[in-house]
Amino acid sequence: MPGKRKRSPTRWRKFSRRTPPGADPGTILPDASAPRPRISLIAYGPTGFIERDCATPEAAAAEMGKHAVVWVNIDGLGDADTISRIGELFGLHKLALEDVVNTHQRAKVETYGEQVFIVIREAAFTDHLEMDQIGMFLTRDAVITFQECAGDAFDPVRDRVRKRKGRICALRADYLAYALCDAVIDAYYPVLERYGELLEDLEDETIERPTRHTVERIHSIKREFLTLRRAIWPAREAVGSIIREDLPNIHADTKLYFRDCYDHLIQLIDMLETYRETGGDLMEVYLTSISNRMNEIMKVLTIISTIFMPLTFIAGIYGMNFSTTSPTNMPELHWKYGYLFALGLMAAVAAAMIAYFWRQGWFGGRRAR
Amino acid sequence: MPGKRKRSPTRWRKFSRRTPPGADPGTILPDASAPRPRISLIAYGPTGFIERDCATPEAAAAEMGKHAVVWVNIDGLGDADTISRIGELFGLHKLALEDVVNTHQRAKVETYGEQVFIVIREAAFTDHLEMDQIGMFLTRDAVITFQECAGDAFDPVRDRVRKRKGRICALRADYLAYALCDAVIDAYYPVLERYGELLEDLEDETIERPTRHTVERIHSIKREFLTLRRAIWPAREAVGSIIREDLPNIHADTKLYFRDCYDHLIQLIDMLETYRETGGDLMEVYLTSISNRMNEIMKVLTIISTIFMPLTFIAGIYGMNFSTTSPTNMPELHWKYGYLFALGLMAAVAAAMIAYFWRQGWFGGRRAR
Amino acid sequence: MPGKRKRSPTRWRKFSRRTPPGADPGTILPDASAPRPRISLIAYGPTGFIERDCATPEAAAAEMGKHAVVWVNIDGLGDADTISRIGELFGLHKLALEDVVNTHQRAKVETYGEQVFIVIREAAFTDHLEMDQIGMFLTRDAVITFQECAGDAFDPVRDRVRKRKGRICALRADYLAYALCDAVIDAYYPVLERYGELLEDLEDETIERPTRHTVERIHSIKREFLTLRRAIWPAREAVGSIIREDLPNIHADTKLYFRDCYDHLIQLIDMLETYRETGGDLMEVYLTSISNRMNEIMKVLTIISTIFMPLTFIAGIYGMNFSTTSPTNMPELHWKYGYLFALGLMAAVAAAMIAYFWRQGWFGGRRAR
Amino acid sequence: MPGKRKRSPTRWRKFSRRTPPGADPGTILPDASAPRPRISLIAYGPTGFIERDCATPEAAAAEMGKHAVVWVNIDGLGDADTISRIGELFGLHKLALEDVVNTHQRAKVETYGEQVFIVIREAAFTDHLEMDQIGMFLTRDAVITFQECAGDAFDPVRDRVRKRKGRICALRADYLAYALCDAVIDAYYPVLERYGELLEDLEDETIERPTRHTVERIHSIKREFLTLRRAIWPAREAVGSIIREDLPNIHADTKLYFRDCYDHLIQLIDMLETYRETGGDLMEVYLTSISNRMNEIMKVLTIISTIFMPLTFIAGIYGMNFSTTSPTNMPELHWKYGYLFALGLMAAVAAAMIAYFWRQGWFGGRRAR
Amino acid sequence: MPGKRKRSPTRWRKFSRRTPPGADPGTILPDASAPRPRISLIAYGPTGFIERDCATPEAAAAEMGKHAVVWVNIDGLGDADTISRIGELFGLHKLALEDVVNTHQRAKVETYGEQVFIVIREAAFTDHLEMDQIGMFLTRDAVITFQECAGDAFDPVRDRVRKRKGRICALRADYLAYALCDAVIDAYYPVLERYGELLEDLEDETIERPTRHTVERIHSIKREFLTLRRAIWPAREAVGSIIREDLPNIHADTKLYFRDCYDHLIQLIDMLETYRETGGDLMEVYLTSISNRMNEIMKVLTIISTIFMPLTFIAGIYGMNFSTTSPTNMPELHWKYGYLFALGLMAAVAAAMIAYFWRQGWFGGRRAR
């Protein structure tokens, strides 16, 4: 009763869809309270590299075609006009753009003409699980990414481009798309490792010191595993289809890297499913823990009752008021050591009871049966 | 005991099939108590648009072939003759028509010659879940829809046609069929969001204040999830077959839109399965909640018994009637402060017991073990 | 203890196989206690129709080839010679005939040369579930059906032939085979509807007035669902293979009807699986119901104990025999209103206890926590 | 506590593999304590038939090629030299021979050159489940079978050959292989029927008179179902691959018989899975049974406590020692009918309590709530 | 409470990935605390054989091409430079090498150009489960193996080479790769057999003498089964793909041996799944065991209460202080044998209660209901 139940941040009503039923397909209706779009651009090739923020979509579009690879990143989806304008300038399909602003898509890969549209979900764990959607368009020489919120999953890739580290600057846009996907997927590892620790703590709590709130925590962690599952499994399918299918703009040598990425997803699924099975068992473990606790409580009650009931009964007998004028009526009352006899009788009974429970192993330490 | 159990409106016996076993296939035997058919017609093309109610099937049939797209909508299935007459006038297959009036079909797509027959189920949540069947025939230039009851799922599409909004008026009958399917499927979103809220409330109730009726509510919501599941999964298969297969009258460019529709179904399934798993866990959570409750009750009983049994025993001892003529018999009774000694002894015993329970953490607030 | 447990009629030992292990394949060894075969014949074509009972297999065989469609029906399998003789006369394969008399086959479709052999199971619910096997051979112009017992599933088809209702008389033997299968499969609807009602009653019983026998009923209904499942799922596979595969004597236009039949099987499976999931949940619901019941019992015990233990203790105190010659020893006994004081003290303690339980919400009506 | 727990004979450690890890593949290392091999030979053709025991492998090999079909059967695997020698004489592959002596193979079918190697498991139920492995080599005109122990599954086939009953003597070695497989598979029927009876008894026990040992029996039967499952499912795959694949020495007309055999396996799986589901439910039924039992016990305790606590309290009141010199102090003690009044008061309280429990339906017979 | 909970050695946080998210693919970042690499080399052909330890990667590379088969084994992965240097000298792909040092890969088979890269996990059970990763590269004439720790799984293969036992020395590098895989996989048998024994002990403990720690052990063994499962299932897929696919350097005749290896994996999976199902049941068995235990405790309490409450009540009656001047007030007190009468009454009540419980079968030995 005391203490407020902390609300888990991943609540069901988050599933809401912004576009109303029956609306014209391709309607762009972002959440007005979402952060407003911020456009930044990185362009590079085997030789050059530029990075800048763009005030308008037009400024970004102006750089198209001048570099080997152009990467336009939009953080925040809170303005329908900007999003639509970007869609027009870069020739993005309306159905894909609708998915970008309805930020509860499953991970997926779709082809619209010569463009590949990839949706992937990003996970972060601060003090709770946060999931954001990333929409990515891959054209021949550009990658356009839409992030629900400004996350930091892309930072290592930016660094690699800036410092011209590794192969990235020598390769094409599809390798950039891979590098971004890989960075997002690898960011699941620390999240899952954190959940591993939480789960371990929860196991200890469940087995060693279960409280009324433990069941809430188990239920809550299971729900978050479901959320993660809904993010990772479709990502596996999506990356799998990139490897298997013949998609435009994705070259055979990049597929080798996507295969590595797929491998990581399989590992993540492995970890998550192991957690889920263990989490599923915990409720059962909890139930046995409280049943054991009940047994302990009942034992105390039974031991106390079993010892004191006979004693009280004996005391009750010698509290009866039979007239002792008849010699057969309670002669003990007049014995010289009657009282000591009665106390001794009581002590004997109590000792017998305690011995019985001891032999039954009810005093935990020895043996349970 | 007090308060009537509210009957859930989705009961099993609703599964009844109207056509008796062994009847000739294609027998039209609608529920006589169902609302009588009401026929309305919308016809449009790149340039014109008409909308009217038709008193007879013949009036509707007369418009066929005069417009780019004709949409005949029949609300209510309560009259065998009208339905059969429509079937004849529009050349609908008898087996399909039998399915239209047996309103417990799974969603499906079937081809009869040049016609495509689509069954889809519509969901609405007023204060309970309501599911209606929609049967839809797609020919080259017409869509004929049969609704079990007059629902409002089609209204946004009617509006788009009336206001010539979006691409709908420039496109063919298959796009109209898509628009109608999409409107019906998108109408599942608010229903599922509502269930998300119900489930959340039920979780709070189960964890924080479970009553005898909670188990009923959990059982009932799980049953409604089953009903929704039986509607949504087959719809996914049906729309999937529209995308994959080469059906008459459905053009390749419309399939892109059906793919979007399929995507929505996948999302709905995702939501529903998450709800189902969580709902499934709730029963277990409830069981642990009432076990915890039992532990609380047992603790109260054990604490009270353990304190008062020894006290009553002590009182019993000094209520014994041993003759105090013998100096060894209950000398305490004649002590000057015998009574206070007895009371003090009792207080000491009670304090010891309370201290024991405190150390065991039985007074909830501190620690459970 | 009182009242006899009613034995469910579908017991496990019914699974017995008549042919001993290692017997020559094709051995015909029917259950001698089964009803003896009764042969009836219906033959029809676009123009004529005859119906008669045949005393011997030869009488039936004599009609072969004279009509467009000949339907020989054998009720009862209790005579090896008759069955073998029919097999010889109509050229039925020995392995198929062995399956006809071992009446615990799964539904299946097999091809033997130009013959199609169909096994299907028939369900009826009188006061318990009854399942019978139907074996059906389809040749170019004849259908030969073997029924374990004389059921009435075929009656509506006989009626349609007699009254020349619908298309049946104009079509070939494969349509007759379809009509018979369809009649058998449609007969599952009323059975499942009946189970829907039983399940609903059982749900009410489990939630509102669970007894020791409820668990038996739940266990029993789950077992009957398993039996139904073992009948319906294979039937779906069998009918599915009729649609997909290119079987002799089954024409493309009849497959459209079998597709309808397949559709019904899918619906039946849907119903059954929904029932099974709900039935599976009931055991859990029952467990929570009796746990709730236990809580109620424990509450009564705890309330009574907690009220009367302190009262008895107080009475015990004033029943002690301390010598009141010392003024500190139990002065209350000599107070003028000592007795009323004691009673008042008791009333106060009882009131405090009751108030405590009231505040804890233990008196059901108000709130549970 | 009293009574010895009977050990189930199918214990886990039986899973041991004889060949040590890393040994050269094809190492023959049979269990030295196993029965020593006993070689018997049956050879037959359309006209002749011989049957004899062979002292050495060479004696058996000498008959090869002289008859249409030669069947060499080896009972017991306890001698590496004999087994190896047989392998050499009949040209059996070393890897297959290694599997023959490691008698914990799954059922399977493998091709080694022109030989087909079949492993199948035989079941028998004496007072416990016994599973033995049968290894079978099929060459063009011979079948060589290795049995772990001398079972009697092959006896009906021997009889059929001896008595020249059925088609067996007119057909080739592949039919003999089929006949042997079929005999082994059909021998599962009586075993499963026996388990059906055991399960039925266990159901009755669980529902009507559960004891502490019931849970052991349920757990044990579930484990034996797992063992059977591990035998039957792979057999289905193995026989299925015989039907589907084009194996050497197996002719198309024999496949029809193997299809029948496959059908039996499907039926066996059906039975077994039904048993397994029912067995799985039993643990749950048992748990509800003991919960019901607990309720009964608690009811007795609660009824007794609730009746006697108030009575003892009343007795306690009139045992108090208030000085009756004050007229307000316990005037009842001096009433003429005070004692009867007290007894009457007690009777009234007891009656009220009993009435309360009666109305609550706690006396089983009437209603539970 | 007393006794320290022994920590299971396979904890979740072991899942950690060394390479940080977003790092360049192919980054070699081994665990610096891991043992430093130790390189050993075995080379052989049909005629010769050498074995030596190599101080540097270059020393090993120098032997390449001089022998029919070269096997380089690296124990320990604790030095990035050495690993990278080996990668360069033997032309190993960077992505594969990254997987070698991230030692939490699933078993898998990948092709990089003409090289086959195999990952497999090795299991050992000392007093807990230990899993290590083995990375293996197969080229035309060499096998390069990386072991996380120096295990002894490869020793039997080394022995076979040294002693030129079996076919191994006459065959190519792919046979060596097979022999190594087979040795690793066969090493699972003793581990699983050990778990079989542990599980059997745990079953006995759960049924016969469950303690609070039993639930921990069950939970822990289930978690270790999950770990084994995560190792064995992917190994099956990997070996399966070796058989099915056309991989470089793996010849058709070696595939026969890999098929044997695949067979062993199927057997291991069989064993493991059987263990897992049994382990899963144990929690349920445990729950029923403690419920049974609770019943026992409650019975003791109920028997004691039910016997002593009426007795204490009778004693209480005769302890009342009704003035016996009225002849109707407690005349028993003045009976000559009043006391004996009272004792007799008590004995009768106690006997009746004991008889009742005896008839109810509460004294375990006789019957439970």
Side-chain angles (χ1 to χ4, degrees), chain C residues 82-103:
Chain C
T82 313
I83 305 291
S84 303
R85 186 74 189 118
I86 292 169
E88 285 162 31
L89 286 168
F90 294 93
L92 312 177
H93 197 284
K94 279 205 143 187
L95 285 177
L97 223 50
E98 187 185 354
D99 286 349
V100 162
V101 297
N102 280 293
T103 55

Side-chain angles (χ1 to χ4, degrees), chain D residues 14-28:
Chain D
K14 281 196 67 178
F15 271 111
S16 67
R17 183 176 149 80
R18 302 215 51 78
T19 315
D24 199 34
T27 306
I28 307 295

Side-chain angles (χ1 to χ4, degrees), chain E residues 13-301:
Chain E
R13 61 185 60 164
K14 279 195 71 178
F15 272 110
S16 67
R17 182 177 150 80
R18 302 215 51 77
T19 314
D24 199 35
T27 306
I28 308 294
L29 209 74
D31 184 355
S33 69
R36 291 186 58 83
R38 216 176 55 78
I39 305 169
S40 64
L41 180 139
I42 287 181
Y44 62 86
T47 53
F49 160 77
I50 64 164
E51 177 171 14
R52 76 170 62 130
D53 280 7
C54 303
T56 60
E58 284 76 8
E63 295 292 332
M64 294 296 286
K66 301 188 189 159
H67 309 267
V69 179
V70 176
W71 170 23
V72 181
N73 180 47
I74 296 99
D75 282 341
L77 304 169
D79 182 57
D81 292 340
T82 314
I83 304 292
S84 301
R85 187 76 190 117
I86 293 169
E88 284 163 33
L89 287 168
F90 294 93
L92 312 177
H93 197 284
K94 279 205 143 187
L95 285 177
L97 224 49
E98 187 185 353
D99 286 348
V100 162
V101 296
N102 280 293
T103 55
H104 295 285
Q105 305 299 317
R106 287 161 59 92
K108 63 178 173 182
V109 171
E110 285 177 340
T111 317
Y112 291 95
E114 283 303 294
Q115 289 181 351
V116 178
F117 174 51
I118 299 170
V119 174
I120 205 161
R121 300 190 72 77
E122 186 188 352
F125 190 95
T126 48
D127 63 332
H128 61 264
L129 179 64
E130 270 171 13
M131 308 262 359
D132 293 315
Q133 174 177 314
I134 288 169
M136 186 186 299
F137 290 87
L138 168 65
T139 67
R140 206 176 49 80
D141 57 2
V143 171
I144 298 142
T145 50
F146 291 88
Q147 289 193 77
E148 201 179 338
C149 307
D152 46 11
F154 288 168
D155 288 349
V157 180
R158 274 193 201 98
D159 264 13
R160 273 153 64 197
V161 173
R162 279 179 203 134
K163 300 181 183 160
R164 309 192 66 78
K165 210 164 66 178
R167 269 148 303 188
I168 196 163
C169 292
L171 295 169
R172 279 172 292 198
D174 57 347
Y175 188 85
L176 175 62
Y178 149 73
L180 295 173
C181 285
D182 192 51
V184 169
I185 288 162
D186 280 7
Y188 279 97
Y189 279 99
V191 173
L192 280 189
E193 281 158 26
R194 181 79 191 103
Y195 271 104
E197 287 162 27
L198 285 178
L199 190 58
E200 199 172 303
D201 292 349
L202 200 50
E203 277 184 289
D204 287 355
E205 179 180 324
T206 305
I207 292 173
E208 285 174 10
R209 40 177 200 287
T211 69
R212 276 181 9 89
H213 299 289
T214 308
V215 69
E216 255 178 274
R217 288 197 199 99
I218 296 169
H219 186 64
S220 168
I221 208 170
K222 284 174 80 178
R223 213 163 56 172
E224 283 164 38
F225 287 156
L226 275 181
T227 305
L228 282 166
R229 192 172 197 239
R230 289 198 317 124
I232 299 178
W233 277 90
R236 193 192 66 135
E237 283 169 50
V239 174
S241 75
I242 291 177
I243 300 171
R244 275 193 321 277
E245 291 170 26
D246 192 29
L247 299 175
N249 302 321
I250 296 186
H251 305 90
D253 45 345
T254 311
K255 286 195 178 177
L256 203 68
Y257 291 98
F258 273 110
R259 192 178 72 183
D260 192 56
C261 189
Y262 184 81
D263 225 63
H264 293 176
L265 281 165
I266 296 280
Q267 265 184 57
L268 288 168
I269 285 172
D270 243 27
M271 287 166 75
L272 184 58
E273 294 303 310
T274 307
Y275 291 169
R276 284 188 70 221
E277 276 212 40
T278 307
D281 282 355
L282 275 190
M283 199 67 92
E284 230 178 359
V285 172
Y286 179 75
L287 199 56
T288 63
S289 284
I290 53 177
S291 289
N292 269 324
R293 182 96 182 110
M294 173 85 82
N295 272 6
E296 297 293 313
I297 293 171
M298 291 306 303
K299 269 189 206 165
V300 171
L301 177 58

Side-chain angles (χ1 to χ4, degrees), chain C residues 37-316:
Chain C
R38 215 175 56 79
I39 305 169
S40 64
L41 179 140
I42 286 181
Y44 60 87
T47 53
F49 160 77
I50 64 163
E51 177 170 14
R52 76 171 60 130
D53 280 8
C54 303
T56 60
E58 284 76 10
E63 294 293 333
M64 294 295 287
K66 299 188 191 160
H67 308 267
V69 179
V70 176
W71 169 22
V72 182
N73 180 48
I74 296 99
D75 283 340
L77 305 169
D79 182 56
D81 292 340
T82 313
I83 305 291
S84 303
R85 186 74 189 118
I86 292 169
E88 285 162 31
L89 286 168
F90 294 93
L92 312 177
H93 197 284
K94 279 205 143 187
L95 285 177
L97 223 50
E98 187 185 354
D99 286 349
V100 162
V101 297
N102 280 293
T103 55
H104 296 285
Q105 305 299 316
R106 287 162 58 93
K108 63 177 172 182
V109 170
E110 286 178 340
T111 316
Y112 290 95
E114 283 304 294
Q115 288 183 350
V116 179
F117 173 53
I118 299 170
V119 174
I120 205 160
R121 299 190 73 77
E122 185 188 352
F125 191 95
T126 48
D127 63 329
H128 60 264
L129 180 64
E130 270 171 12
M131 308 261 2
D132 293 315
Q133 175 176 315
I134 287 170
M136 186 187 300
F137 291 87
L138 168 65
T139 67
R140 205 176 48 80
D141 56 1
V143 172
I144 298 141
T145 50
F146 291 87
Q147 289 192 76
E148 201 178 339
C149 307
D152 44 13
F154 289 168
D155 288 348
V157 181
R158 274 193 201 98
D159 264 13
R160 274 154 62 197
V161 173
R162 280 180 201 134
K163 301 183 181 158
R164 309 192 67 76
K165 213 163 64 177
R167 268 148 304 188
I168 195 162
C169 291
L171 296 169
R172 279 171 293 199
D174 57 346
Y175 188 85
L176 176 62
Y178 149 72
L180 295 172
C181 287
D182 192 50
V184 169
I185 287 162
D186 281 6
Y188 279 97
Y189 281 98
V191 173
L192 281 189
E193 282 159 26
R194 182 79 191 104
Y195 271 104
E197 287 161 27
L198 285 177
L199 190 58
E200 198 172 305
D201 291 349
L202 200 49
E203 277 185 288
D204 287 354
E205 181 180 322
T206 305
I207 292 174
E208 286 174 9
R209 40 176 201 287
T211 69
R212 278 185 2 92
H213 298 290
T214 307
V215 68
E216 255 178 275
R217 289 198 197 99
I218 297 170
H219 186 63
S220 170
I221 208 171
K222 284 174 79 177
R223 213 163 55 173
E224 283 163 39
F225 287 157
L226 276 180
T227 306
L228 282 166
R229 192 172 198 239
R230 288 197 318 121
I232 299 178
W233 278 90
R236 192 192 68 134
E237 284 169 49
V239 173
S241 75
I242 291 178
I243 300 171
R244 274 194 321 278
E245 291 170 26
D246 192 30
L247 301 175
N249 301 319
I250 295 187
H251 305 90
D253 46 347
T254 312
K255 287 194 177 178
L256 203 68
Y257 291 98
F258 272 111
R259 193 178 70 182
D260 192 56
C261 190
Y262 184 82
D263 224 64
H264 293 177
L265 280 165
I266 297 280
Q267 266 184 55
L268 289 167
I269 284 172
D270 242 29
M271 286 166 75
L272 184 58
E273 294 303 310
T274 305
Y275 291 169
R276 285 188 69 220
E277 276 212 40
T278 306
D281 282 356
L282 276 190
M283 200 66 92
E284 229 178 359
V285 172
Y286 179 75
L287 199 56
T288 63
S289 285
I290 53 178
S291 288
N292 269 323
R293 181 100 183 107
M294 174 84 83
N295 272 6
E296 298 292 313
I297 294 171
M298 290 308 302
K299 269 189 206 166
V300 170
L301 177 58
T302 304
I303 289 170
I304 287 287
S305 301
T306 309
I307 290 172
F308 281 100
M309 279 194 160
L311 302 192
T312 304
F313 167 62
I314 293 170

